[in-house]
Amino acid sequence: MNPAVTLDRTSGRRVAAEPIASLTLRLTVNGEERVLQVEPWTTLLDLLRDKLDLTGTKKGCDHGQCGACTVLIDGRRINACLKLAVTLEGQEVTTIEGLGQPGNLHPLQAAFIEHDAFQCGYCTPGQICSAQGLINEGHARNRADVREQMSGNICRCGAYTNIADAVLEVLEQGKQP
Amino acid sequence: MIRFDYARPADVSEAVRAGSGEHAAFLAGGTNLVDVMKENVARPLQVVDINRLPLTDIEAREDGGLRLGALVTNAATAYDPRVQQRYPLLASAILAGASPQLRNAATNGGNLNQRTRCYYFYDVDTPCNKRNPGEGCGAIGGVNRIHAILGASDQCIATHPSDMCVALAALEAHVQVTGPDGDRAIAFSDYHRLPGDEPWRDNTLRSGELVTAIDLPAENFSTHYTYLKLRDRLSYAFALVSVAVALRLSEDGRIEVARIALGGVAHKPWRVPAAESLLQGEQPGERVFQAAAHAITEGAVGQGQNSFKIELARRAVVRALGQAAAGTPQSQTDKRIA
């Protein structure tokens, strides 16, 4: 196979022998099957925000250090900024838009409001997706577990105490028969 | 981000073929490679997506050990019941690192091959011999709070950032690789290397070689172990100093086998067999712990801002040996140090 991209040794520039074709990507996004044309270097975060207009998922650091872009892949949380979209062929993505809608709030969204678990709100979609991931993953039993397992989501307003309260409440509600 | 060719091979031999180009990179979870590509630190021309390869199982081995597939995620490894029960040191070290999101994406093979988090390596506007051979090292004489105190060279003082690898060093795992010249197993202590005068080489993989699995030996130290990690904040931060300790005690309480590996202090997980043998045959206690702590940090050199790590490492070793001997491993949830 002749590579489509080569390095010009004198200029150090990347040379594409031919334009790199977009790839066809089949993805289920918030329950809806999508067939998309995606360039290989597009991250899931940029695909969601720029192509699918799902701007609930936020771009904070874009380097996996803040958690604002947290979404669920097949029910497990990841940082969308560090995931190339083309690697997710056939998988299921859930964003904040898929968890709840105006008038139909997800229990975590209702608990965040009830507990005053945000101030500026920028980290909140990531916090809520992360909390849903925490519940799905099933390794948290108490407040200390919740705090540790929510540590991948930074809140610069410092609403951590109330975030832990909100997540713990929904986690414990889920335990009841 | 830079432009590149993308391939998604379906089997290992196809992947090795695709990955043997001079400017090819294997992509698994992407938590490190995508990041360094965004920073222009890694500039592969071909990205070989290995996520479809059948390296996703954890399997029992005939010798009583466990084989961890290279593409099993760090989270799936740490929460696997066999790992939790038989290799709790490994589970503990994995859960001490990164965040749940990152552990859900990052793979075992990728954890081994992640690059240093040295600020100068990441910043293409500063000199770095690891990124650009011959350019010089910005960290020497620069901002070096997180840098190496052991095994560094005059060309590079970067550290290996992994927690998982510190436990694998103490457990004496083997790394299974395949490549253009066939399969081989690499002892964990031989996998990562010191920077020397080739700081751009993090490990001893040959060109085109792919990690396929990590083998854990039968001896698992499931009773007397700890992973103690010290850092600037309690979660979601790299180690300033970390210690993995695994002990086997005899019926009268003497130390039969001791393993100590340090993280955050060198270009690879740091072990000193002579320090471990000082403990052999001894009753656990402050005096022998101090002796081992001094032996494992022998030759340590501070760079200024990181000089505190020398004493911190010694104290961490003493504390970790005490935790392991008592059978009271460090909790990765309640971060108070017992």
PDB file of all heavy atoms in Angstrom, chain A residues 3-4 9 14 41 62-65 70 77 81 83 86 137 148 151 153, chain B residues 3 5 8 22 29 35 38-39 43 45-46 52 101 104 235-236 335:
ATOM      1  N   PRO A   3       1.439   4.871   0.977  1.00  0.00           N
ATOM      2  CA  PRO A   3       0.767   5.783   1.897  1.00  0.00           C
ATOM      3  C   PRO A   3       0.274   7.027   1.176  1.00  0.00           C
ATOM      4  O   PRO A   3       0.909   7.515   0.251  1.00  0.00           O
ATOM      5  CB  PRO A   3       1.852   6.118   2.914  1.00  0.00           C
ATOM      6  CG  PRO A   3       3.141   5.756   2.276  1.00  0.00           C
ATOM      7  CD  PRO A   3       2.856   4.691   1.268  1.00  0.00           C
ATOM      8  N   ALA A   4      -0.881   7.510   1.595  1.00  0.00           N
ATOM      9  CA  ALA A   4      -1.453   8.702   0.971  1.00  0.00           C
ATOM     10  C   ALA A   4      -0.747   9.956   1.466  1.00  0.00           C
ATOM     11  O   ALA A   4      -0.750  10.976   0.798  1.00  0.00           O
ATOM     12  CB  ALA A   4      -2.947   8.774   1.259  1.00  0.00           C
ATOM     13  N   ARG A   9      11.177  15.498   2.524  1.00  0.00           N
ATOM     14  CA  ARG A   9      12.376  15.536   3.373  1.00  0.00           C
ATOM     15  C   ARG A   9      13.014  16.923   3.382  1.00  0.00           C
ATOM     16  O   ARG A   9      13.623  17.303   4.371  1.00  0.00           O
ATOM     17  CB  ARG A   9      13.405  14.523   2.886  1.00  0.00           C
ATOM     18  CG  ARG A   9      12.905  13.105   2.935  1.00  0.00           C
ATOM     19  CD  ARG A   9      13.070  12.518   4.329  1.00  0.00           C
ATOM     20  NE  ARG A   9      12.392  11.224   4.401  1.00  0.00           N
ATOM     21  CZ  ARG A   9      12.251  10.530   5.502  1.00  0.00           C
ATOM     22  NH1 ARG A   9      12.693  11.001   6.652  1.00  0.00           N
ATOM     23  NH2 ARG A   9      11.633   9.383   5.497  1.00  0.00           N
ATOM     24  N   ARG A  14       4.149  17.854   5.232  1.00  0.00           N
ATOM     25  CA  ARG A  14       3.369  16.669   4.911  1.00  0.00           C
ATOM     26  C   ARG A  14       2.752  16.856   3.551  1.00  0.00           C
ATOM     27  O   ARG A  14       2.159  17.885   3.273  1.00  0.00           O
ATOM     28  CB  ARG A  14       2.223  16.522   5.910  1.00  0.00           C
ATOM     29  CG  ARG A  14       2.698  16.133   7.206  1.00  0.00           C
ATOM     30  CD  ARG A  14       1.787  16.550   8.306  1.00  0.00           C
ATOM     31  NE  ARG A  14       2.482  16.021   9.451  1.00  0.00           N
ATOM     32  CZ  ARG A  14       2.375  14.763   9.838  1.00  0.00           C
ATOM     33  NH1 ARG A  14       1.491  13.968   9.323  1.00  0.00           N
ATOM     34  NH2 ARG A  14       3.112  14.317  10.803  1.00  0.00           N
ATOM     35  N   TRP A  41      -9.110  12.547  11.568  1.00  0.00           N
ATOM     36  CA  TRP A  41      -8.552  13.317  12.698  1.00  0.00           C
ATOM     37  C   TRP A  41      -9.640  14.054  13.486  1.00  0.00           C
ATOM     38  O   TRP A  41      -9.336  14.820  14.387  1.00  0.00           O
ATOM     39  CB  TRP A  41      -7.511  14.316  12.184  1.00  0.00           C
ATOM     40  CG  TRP A  41      -7.943  15.043  10.953  1.00  0.00           C
ATOM     41  CD1 TRP A  41      -8.697  16.172  10.886  1.00  0.00           C
ATOM     42  CD2 TRP A  41      -7.661  14.671   9.607  1.00  0.00           C
ATOM     43  NE1 TRP A  41      -8.920  16.514   9.584  1.00  0.00           N
ATOM     44  CE2 TRP A  41      -8.297  15.625   8.766  1.00  0.00           C
ATOM     45  CE3 TRP A  41      -6.943  13.621   9.018  1.00  0.00           C
ATOM     46  CZ2 TRP A  41      -8.226  15.546   7.371  1.00  0.00           C
ATOM     47  CZ3 TRP A  41      -6.887  13.558   7.637  1.00  0.00           C
ATOM     48  CH2 TRP A  41      -7.510  14.505   6.847  1.00  0.00           C
ATOM     49  N   ASP A  62      -9.691  20.336  26.304  1.00  0.00           N
ATOM     50  CA  ASP A  62      -9.420  19.596  25.064  1.00  0.00           C
ATOM     51  C   ASP A  62      -8.214  18.647  25.203  1.00  0.00           C
ATOM     52  O   ASP A  62      -7.654  18.228  24.210  1.00  0.00           O
ATOM     53  CB  ASP A  62      -9.193  20.567  23.891  1.00  0.00           C
ATOM     54  CG  ASP A  62      -9.597  19.951  22.548  1.00  0.00           C
ATOM     55  OD1 ASP A  62     -10.444  19.030  22.537  1.00  0.00           O
ATOM     56  OD2 ASP A  62      -9.070  20.380  21.507  1.00  0.00           O
ATOM     57  N   HIS A  63      -7.821  18.332  26.444  1.00  0.00           N
ATOM     58  CA  HIS A  63      -6.669  17.445  26.663  1.00  0.00           C
ATOM     59  C   HIS A  63      -6.921  16.377  27.719  1.00  0.00           C
ATOM     60  O   HIS A  63      -5.973  15.839  28.295  1.00  0.00           O
ATOM     61  CB  HIS A  63      -5.438  18.268  27.048  1.00  0.00           C
ATOM     62  CG  HIS A  63      -4.904  19.075  25.905  1.00  0.00           C
ATOM     63  ND1 HIS A  63      -4.211  18.525  24.853  1.00  0.00           N
ATOM     64  CD2 HIS A  63      -5.021  20.393  25.620  1.00  0.00           C
ATOM     65  CE1 HIS A  63      -3.895  19.462  23.993  1.00  0.00           C
ATOM     66  NE2 HIS A  63      -4.374  20.613  24.428  1.00  0.00           N
ATOM     67  N   GLY A  64      -8.183  16.092  28.044  1.00  0.00           N
ATOM     68  CA  GLY A  64      -8.447  15.024  29.005  1.00  0.00           C
ATOM     69  C   GLY A  64      -8.105  15.386  30.438  1.00  0.00           C
ATOM     70  O   GLY A  64      -7.898  14.505  31.264  1.00  0.00           O
ATOM     71  N   GLN A  65      -8.056  16.668  30.744  1.00  0.00           N
ATOM     72  CA  GLN A  65      -7.670  17.075  32.094  1.00  0.00           C
ATOM     73  C   GLN A  65      -8.815  17.693  32.892  1.00  0.00           C
ATOM     74  O   GLN A  65      -8.628  18.020  34.061  1.00  0.00           O
ATOM     75  CB  GLN A  65      -6.505  18.078  32.027  1.00  0.00           C
ATOM     76  CG  GLN A  65      -5.257  17.464  31.410  1.00  0.00           C
ATOM     77  CD  GLN A  65      -4.130  18.467  31.241  1.00  0.00           C
ATOM     78  OE1 GLN A  65      -4.235  19.604  31.675  1.00  0.00           O
ATOM     79  NE2 GLN A  65      -3.059  18.049  30.594  1.00  0.00           N
ATOM     80  N   THR A  70     -17.192  14.899  28.968  1.00  0.00           N
ATOM     81  CA  THR A  70     -17.552  13.510  29.283  1.00  0.00           C
ATOM     82  C   THR A  70     -18.863  13.106  28.607  1.00  0.00           C
ATOM     83  O   THR A  70     -19.874  13.799  28.734  1.00  0.00           O
ATOM     84  CB  THR A  70     -17.684  13.329  30.805  1.00  0.00           C
ATOM     85  OG1 THR A  70     -16.445  13.693  31.412  1.00  0.00           O
ATOM     86  CG2 THR A  70     -18.033  11.887  31.164  1.00  0.00           C
ATOM     87  N   ARG A  77     -18.380   6.035  30.657  1.00  0.00           N
ATOM     88  CA  ARG A  77     -17.968   7.420  30.413  1.00  0.00           C
ATOM     89  C   ARG A  77     -16.540   7.503  29.894  1.00  0.00           C
ATOM     90  O   ARG A  77     -15.657   6.776  30.350  1.00  0.00           O
ATOM     91  CB  ARG A  77     -18.115   8.237  31.701  1.00  0.00           C
ATOM     92  CG  ARG A  77     -17.399   7.606  32.869  1.00  0.00           C
ATOM     93  CD  ARG A  77     -17.808   8.235  34.182  1.00  0.00           C
ATOM     94  NE  ARG A  77     -17.578   7.289  35.268  1.00  0.00           N
ATOM     95  CZ  ARG A  77     -17.242   7.612  36.502  1.00  0.00           C
ATOM     96  NH1 ARG A  77     -17.132   8.880  36.834  1.00  0.00           N
ATOM     97  NH2 ARG A  77     -17.045   6.702  37.412  1.00  0.00           N
ATOM     98  N   CYS A  81     -12.949  14.394  23.969  1.00  0.00           N
ATOM     99  CA  CYS A  81     -11.882  15.163  23.307  1.00  0.00           C
ATOM    100  C   CYS A  81     -10.706  14.295  22.901  1.00  0.00           C
ATOM    101  O   CYS A  81      -9.915  14.678  22.054  1.00  0.00           O
ATOM    102  CB  CYS A  81     -11.404  16.309  24.203  1.00  0.00           C
ATOM    103  SG  CYS A  81     -10.452  15.776  25.654  1.00  0.00           S
ATOM    104  N   LYS A  83     -10.970  11.042  21.874  1.00  0.00           N
ATOM    105  CA  LYS A  83     -11.425   9.865  21.141  1.00  0.00           C
ATOM    106  C   LYS A  83     -11.626  10.258  19.680  1.00  0.00           C
ATOM    107  O   LYS A  83     -12.441  11.127  19.371  1.00  0.00           O
ATOM    108  CB  LYS A  83     -12.739   9.396  21.762  1.00  0.00           C
ATOM    109  CG  LYS A  83     -13.205   8.024  21.364  1.00  0.00           C
ATOM    110  CD  LYS A  83     -12.186   6.942  21.548  1.00  0.00           C
ATOM    111  CE  LYS A  83     -12.286   6.154  22.816  1.00  0.00           C
ATOM    112  NZ  LYS A  83     -11.248   5.091  22.854  1.00  0.00           N
ATOM    113  N   VAL A  86     -13.697   8.094  14.275  1.00  0.00           N
ATOM    114  CA  VAL A  86     -13.677   6.913  13.394  1.00  0.00           C
ATOM    115  C   VAL A  86     -13.410   5.614  14.138  1.00  0.00           C
ATOM    116  O   VAL A  86     -13.703   4.535  13.626  1.00  0.00           O
ATOM    117  CB  VAL A  86     -12.641   7.060  12.249  1.00  0.00           C
ATOM    118  CG1 VAL A  86     -13.106   8.078  11.235  1.00  0.00           C
ATOM    119  CG2 VAL A  86     -11.271   7.401  12.796  1.00  0.00           C
ATOM    120  N   GLU A 137     -21.537   1.990  36.142  1.00  0.00           N
ATOM    121  CA  GLU A 137     -20.362   1.152  36.369  1.00  0.00           C
ATOM    122  C   GLU A 137     -20.486   0.361  37.676  1.00  0.00           C
ATOM    123  O   GLU A 137     -19.916  -0.723  37.799  1.00  0.00           O
ATOM    124  CB  GLU A 137     -19.091   2.024  36.346  1.00  0.00           C
ATOM    125  CG  GLU A 137     -18.750   2.496  34.926  1.00  0.00           C
ATOM    126  CD  GLU A 137     -17.982   3.812  34.864  1.00  0.00           C
ATOM    127  OE1 GLU A 137     -17.408   4.222  35.898  1.00  0.00           O
ATOM    128  OE2 GLU A 137     -17.975   4.443  33.794  1.00  0.00           O
ATOM    129  N   GLU A 148     -14.344  10.236  45.046  1.00  0.00           N
ATOM    130  CA  GLU A 148     -13.184   9.738  44.296  1.00  0.00           C
ATOM    131  C   GLU A 148     -13.550   9.456  42.836  1.00  0.00           C
ATOM    132  O   GLU A 148     -12.826   9.814  41.912  1.00  0.00           O
ATOM    133  CB  GLU A 148     -12.637   8.467  44.967  1.00  0.00           C
ATOM    134  CG  GLU A 148     -11.555   7.738  44.183  1.00  0.00           C
ATOM    135  CD  GLU A 148     -10.309   8.581  43.917  1.00  0.00           C
ATOM    136  OE1 GLU A 148     -10.082   9.564  44.640  1.00  0.00           O
ATOM    137  OE2 GLU A 148      -9.583   8.253  42.958  1.00  0.00           O
ATOM    138  N   SER A 151     -13.817  12.349  40.489  1.00  0.00           N
ATOM    139  CA  SER A 151     -12.647  13.247  40.482  1.00  0.00           C
ATOM    140  C   SER A 151     -12.143  13.563  39.084  1.00  0.00           C
ATOM    141  O   SER A 151     -11.280  14.429  38.919  1.00  0.00           O
ATOM    142  CB  SER A 151     -11.517  12.660  41.335  1.00  0.00           C
ATOM    143  OG  SER A 151     -11.055  11.440  40.784  1.00  0.00           O
ATOM    144  N   ASN A 153     -13.851  15.086  36.952  1.00  0.00           N
ATOM    145  CA  ASN A 153     -14.609  16.254  36.500  1.00  0.00           C
ATOM    146  C   ASN A 153     -14.265  17.449  37.380  1.00  0.00           C
ATOM    147  O   ASN A 153     -14.596  17.483  38.565  1.00  0.00           O
ATOM    148  CB  ASN A 153     -16.114  15.981  36.556  1.00  0.00           C
ATOM    149  CG  ASN A 153     -16.514  14.916  35.567  1.00  0.00           C
ATOM    150  OD1 ASN A 153     -16.329  13.719  35.819  1.00  0.00           O
ATOM    151  ND2 ASN A 153     -17.019  15.333  34.430  1.00  0.00           N
TER     152      ASN A 153
ATOM    153  N   ARG B   3      -2.872  16.076   9.781  1.00  0.00           N
ATOM    154  CA  ARG B   3      -3.541  15.139   8.877  1.00  0.00           C
ATOM    155  C   ARG B   3      -2.732  13.846   8.816  1.00  0.00           C
ATOM    156  O   ARG B   3      -1.510  13.888   8.861  1.00  0.00           O
ATOM    157  CB  ARG B   3      -3.659  15.744   7.472  1.00  0.00           C
ATOM    158  CG  ARG B   3      -4.304  17.125   7.442  1.00  0.00           C
ATOM    159  CD  ARG B   3      -5.645  17.096   8.125  1.00  0.00           C
ATOM    160  NE  ARG B   3      -6.390  18.324   7.893  1.00  0.00           N
ATOM    161  CZ  ARG B   3      -6.930  19.062   8.845  1.00  0.00           C
ATOM    162  NH1 ARG B   3      -6.772  18.728  10.109  1.00  0.00           N
ATOM    163  NH2 ARG B   3      -7.643  20.130   8.558  1.00  0.00           N
ATOM    164  N   ASP B   5      -2.937   9.384   7.468  1.00  0.00           N
ATOM    165  CA  ASP B   5      -3.600   8.226   6.883  1.00  0.00           C
ATOM    166  C   ASP B   5      -4.150   7.357   8.006  1.00  0.00           C
ATOM    167  O   ASP B   5      -3.521   7.249   9.052  1.00  0.00           O
ATOM    168  CB  ASP B   5      -2.549   7.395   6.148  1.00  0.00           C
ATOM    169  CG  ASP B   5      -2.857   7.261   4.690  1.00  0.00           C
ATOM    170  OD1 ASP B   5      -3.903   7.759   4.256  1.00  0.00           O
ATOM    171  OD2 ASP B   5      -2.035   6.660   3.992  1.00  0.00           O
ATOM    172  N   ARG B   8      -7.491   0.473   9.678  1.00  0.00           N
ATOM    173  CA  ARG B   8      -8.129  -0.267  10.774  1.00  0.00           C
ATOM    174  C   ARG B   8      -8.010  -1.757  10.495  1.00  0.00           C
ATOM    175  O   ARG B   8      -8.968  -2.411  10.054  1.00  0.00           O
ATOM    176  CB  ARG B   8      -9.601   0.142  10.876  1.00  0.00           C
ATOM    177  CG  ARG B   8     -10.287  -0.381  12.135  1.00  0.00           C
ATOM    178  CD  ARG B   8     -11.787  -0.173  12.049  1.00  0.00           C
ATOM    179  NE  ARG B   8     -12.158   1.220  12.021  1.00  0.00           N
ATOM    180  CZ  ARG B   8     -13.226   1.703  11.384  1.00  0.00           C
ATOM    181  NH1 ARG B   8     -14.007   0.892  10.692  1.00  0.00           N
ATOM    182  NH2 ARG B   8     -13.517   2.986  11.417  1.00  0.00           N
ATOM    183  N   GLU B  22       7.975   3.848   8.830  1.00  0.00           N
ATOM    184  CA  GLU B  22       8.835   4.693   9.678  1.00  0.00           C
ATOM    185  C   GLU B  22       8.010   5.685  10.497  1.00  0.00           C
ATOM    186  O   GLU B  22       8.362   6.009  11.625  1.00  0.00           O
ATOM    187  CB  GLU B  22       9.825   5.442   8.769  1.00  0.00           C
ATOM    188  CG  GLU B  22      10.943   6.104   9.530  1.00  0.00           C
ATOM    189  CD  GLU B  22      11.771   7.023   8.620  1.00  0.00           C
ATOM    190  OE1 GLU B  22      11.617   6.952   7.376  1.00  0.00           O
ATOM    191  OE2 GLU B  22      12.550   7.799   9.160  1.00  0.00           O
ATOM    192  N   GLY B  29      -6.572   3.205  22.906  1.00  0.00           N
ATOM    193  CA  GLY B  29      -7.559   4.068  23.569  1.00  0.00           C
ATOM    194  C   GLY B  29      -7.448   5.526  23.165  1.00  0.00           C
ATOM    195  O   GLY B  29      -8.422   6.277  23.222  1.00  0.00           O
ATOM    196  N   ASP B  35      -3.658  13.098  22.443  1.00  0.00           N
ATOM    197  CA  ASP B  35      -3.210  14.303  23.149  1.00  0.00           C
ATOM    198  C   ASP B  35      -1.885  14.809  22.586  1.00  0.00           C
ATOM    199  O   ASP B  35      -1.749  15.996  22.266  1.00  0.00           O
ATOM    200  CB  ASP B  35      -3.092  13.974  24.646  1.00  0.00           C
ATOM    201  CG  ASP B  35      -2.948  15.205  25.505  1.00  0.00           C
ATOM    202  OD1 ASP B  35      -3.452  16.282  25.110  1.00  0.00           O
ATOM    203  OD2 ASP B  35      -2.335  15.108  26.578  1.00  0.00           O
ATOM    204  N   LYS B  38      -2.327  16.339  19.211  1.00  0.00           N
ATOM    205  CA  LYS B  38      -2.889  17.700  19.254  1.00  0.00           C
ATOM    206  C   LYS B  38      -1.813  18.731  19.555  1.00  0.00           C
ATOM    207  O   LYS B  38      -1.887  19.868  19.101  1.00  0.00           O
ATOM    208  CB  LYS B  38      -3.965  17.791  20.350  1.00  0.00           C
ATOM    209  CG  LYS B  38      -5.259  17.117  20.000  1.00  0.00           C
ATOM    210  CD  LYS B  38      -6.272  17.364  21.108  1.00  0.00           C
ATOM    211  CE  LYS B  38      -7.559  16.637  20.793  1.00  0.00           C
ATOM    212  NZ  LYS B  38      -8.626  16.972  21.739  1.00  0.00           N
ATOM    213  N   GLU B  39      -0.829  18.328  20.365  1.00  0.00           N
ATOM    214  CA  GLU B  39       0.238  19.260  20.756  1.00  0.00           C
ATOM    215  C   GLU B  39       1.366  19.306  19.728  1.00  0.00           C
ATOM    216  O   GLU B  39       2.374  19.980  19.959  1.00  0.00           O
ATOM    217  CB  GLU B  39       0.808  18.851  22.122  1.00  0.00           C
ATOM    218  CG  GLU B  39      -0.166  18.975  23.271  1.00  0.00           C
ATOM    219  CD  GLU B  39      -0.370  20.416  23.731  1.00  0.00           C
ATOM    220  OE1 GLU B  39       0.094  21.337  23.037  1.00  0.00           O
ATOM    221  OE2 GLU B  39      -1.002  20.597  24.787  1.00  0.00           O
ATOM    222  N   ARG B  43       3.817  13.178  15.440  1.00  0.00           N
ATOM    223  CA  ARG B  43       3.350  13.566  14.107  1.00  0.00           C
ATOM    224  C   ARG B  43       3.375  12.360  13.169  1.00  0.00           C
ATOM    225  O   ARG B  43       4.085  12.355  12.162  1.00  0.00           O
ATOM    226  CB  ARG B  43       4.230  14.693  13.559  1.00  0.00           C
ATOM    227  CG  ARG B  43       4.199  15.955  14.422  1.00  0.00           C
ATOM    228  CD  ARG B  43       5.205  17.010  13.952  1.00  0.00           C
ATOM    229  NE  ARG B  43       5.074  17.365  12.550  1.00  0.00           N
ATOM    230  CZ  ARG B  43       4.155  18.185  12.072  1.00  0.00           C
ATOM    231  NH1 ARG B  43       3.283  18.745  12.879  1.00  0.00           N
ATOM    232  NH2 ARG B  43       4.094  18.450  10.783  1.00  0.00           N
ATOM    233  N   LEU B  45       2.461   9.793  10.248  1.00  0.00           N
ATOM    234  CA  LEU B  45       1.846   9.929   8.920  1.00  0.00           C
ATOM    235  C   LEU B  45       0.753   8.882   8.747  1.00  0.00           C
ATOM    236  O   LEU B  45      -0.201   9.101   8.017  1.00  0.00           O
ATOM    237  CB  LEU B  45       2.898   9.750   7.825  1.00  0.00           C
ATOM    238  CG  LEU B  45       4.022  10.784   7.802  1.00  0.00           C
ATOM    239  CD1 LEU B  45       5.039  10.434   6.730  1.00  0.00           C
ATOM    240  CD2 LEU B  45       3.460  12.172   7.548  1.00  0.00           C
ATOM    241  N   GLN B  46       0.946   7.726   9.398  1.00  0.00           N
ATOM    242  CA  GLN B  46      -0.071   6.677   9.346  1.00  0.00           C
ATOM    243  C   GLN B  46      -0.487   6.326  10.770  1.00  0.00           C
ATOM    244  O   GLN B  46       0.366   6.035  11.600  1.00  0.00           O
ATOM    245  CB  GLN B  46       0.472   5.408   8.661  1.00  0.00           C
ATOM    246  CG  GLN B  46       0.610   5.511   7.151  1.00  0.00           C
ATOM    247  CD  GLN B  46       1.985   6.009   6.751  1.00  0.00           C
ATOM    248  OE1 GLN B  46       2.982   5.668   7.367  1.00  0.00           O
ATOM    249  NE2 GLN B  46       2.040   6.834   5.718  1.00  0.00           N
ATOM    250  N   ARG B  52      -9.748  -3.100  16.789  1.00  0.00           N
ATOM    251  CA  ARG B  52     -10.529  -4.278  16.363  1.00  0.00           C
ATOM    252  C   ARG B  52      -9.737  -5.571  16.524  1.00  0.00           C
ATOM    253  O   ARG B  52     -10.234  -6.647  16.168  1.00  0.00           O
ATOM    254  CB  ARG B  52     -10.976  -4.126  14.903  1.00  0.00           C
ATOM    255  CG  ARG B  52     -11.818  -2.884  14.649  1.00  0.00           C
ATOM    256  CD  ARG B  52     -13.157  -2.982  15.359  1.00  0.00           C
ATOM    257  NE  ARG B  52     -13.575  -1.668  15.819  1.00  0.00           N
ATOM    258  CZ  ARG B  52     -14.829  -1.251  15.873  1.00  0.00           C
ATOM    259  NH1 ARG B  52     -15.802  -2.045  15.494  1.00  0.00           N
ATOM    260  NH2 ARG B  52     -15.122  -0.055  16.337  1.00  0.00           N
ATOM    261  N   GLN B 101     -12.934   8.279  33.602  1.00  0.00           N
ATOM    262  CA  GLN B 101     -13.092   8.441  32.148  1.00  0.00           C
ATOM    263  C   GLN B 101     -11.868   7.942  31.397  1.00  0.00           C
ATOM    264  O   GLN B 101     -11.976   7.248  30.378  1.00  0.00           O
ATOM    265  CB  GLN B 101     -13.306   9.919  31.792  1.00  0.00           C
ATOM    266  CG  GLN B 101     -14.626  10.513  32.216  1.00  0.00           C
ATOM    267  CD  GLN B 101     -14.560  11.197  33.573  1.00  0.00           C
ATOM    268  OE1 GLN B 101     -13.943  10.698  34.507  1.00  0.00           O
ATOM    269  NE2 GLN B 101     -15.216  12.338  33.683  1.00  0.00           N
ATOM    270  N   ASN B 104     -11.421   4.177  31.561  1.00  0.00           N
ATOM    271  CA  ASN B 104     -12.372   3.460  30.703  1.00  0.00           C
ATOM    272  C   ASN B 104     -11.907   3.409  29.252  1.00  0.00           C
ATOM    273  O   ASN B 104     -12.364   2.557  28.488  1.00  0.00           O
ATOM    274  CB  ASN B 104     -13.748   4.151  30.727  1.00  0.00           C
ATOM    275  CG  ASN B 104     -14.568   3.763  31.940  1.00  0.00           C
ATOM    276  OD1 ASN B 104     -14.291   2.762  32.591  1.00  0.00           O
ATOM    277  ND2 ASN B 104     -15.595   4.552  32.240  1.00  0.00           N
ATOM    278  N   SER B 235      -6.404  13.344  43.993  1.00  0.00           N
ATOM    279  CA  SER B 235      -6.875  12.520  42.890  1.00  0.00           C
ATOM    280  C   SER B 235      -6.506  13.193  41.574  1.00  0.00           C
ATOM    281  O   SER B 235      -6.289  14.406  41.540  1.00  0.00           O
ATOM    282  CB  SER B 235      -8.399  12.372  42.934  1.00  0.00           C
ATOM    283  OG  SER B 235      -8.796  11.704  44.105  1.00  0.00           O
ATOM    284  N   TYR B 236      -6.498  12.388  40.489  1.00  0.00           N
ATOM    285  CA  TYR B 236      -6.389  12.944  39.145  1.00  0.00           C
ATOM    286  C   TYR B 236      -5.122  13.789  39.024  1.00  0.00           C
ATOM    287  O   TYR B 236      -5.156  14.928  38.533  1.00  0.00           O
ATOM    288  CB  TYR B 236      -7.634  13.796  38.872  1.00  0.00           C
ATOM    289  CG  TYR B 236      -8.032  14.007  37.432  1.00  0.00           C
ATOM    290  CD1 TYR B 236      -7.432  13.338  36.379  1.00  0.00           C
ATOM    291  CD2 TYR B 236      -9.067  14.895  37.126  1.00  0.00           C
ATOM    292  CE1 TYR B 236      -7.828  13.556  35.076  1.00  0.00           C
ATOM    293  CE2 TYR B 236      -9.477  15.119  35.836  1.00  0.00           C
ATOM    294  CZ  TYR B 236      -8.854  14.453  34.807  1.00  0.00           C
ATOM    295  OH  TYR B 236      -9.270  14.685  33.522  1.00  0.00           O
ATOM    296  N   LYS B 335      -7.921   8.766  51.190  1.00  0.00           N
ATOM    297  CA  LYS B 335      -6.500   8.987  50.895  1.00  0.00           C
ATOM    298  C   LYS B 335      -5.656   9.221  52.145  1.00  0.00           C
ATOM    299  O   LYS B 335      -4.462   9.452  52.029  1.00  0.00           O
ATOM    300  CB  LYS B 335      -6.354  10.176  49.925  1.00  0.00           C
ATOM    301  CG  LYS B 335      -7.112  10.024  48.633  1.00  0.00           C
ATOM    302  CD  LYS B 335      -6.586   8.853  47.800  1.00  0.00           C
ATOM    303  CE  LYS B 335      -7.430   8.583  46.588  1.00  0.00           C
ATOM    304  NZ  LYS B 335      -7.464   9.641  45.613  1.00  0.00           N
TER     305      LYS B 335
END
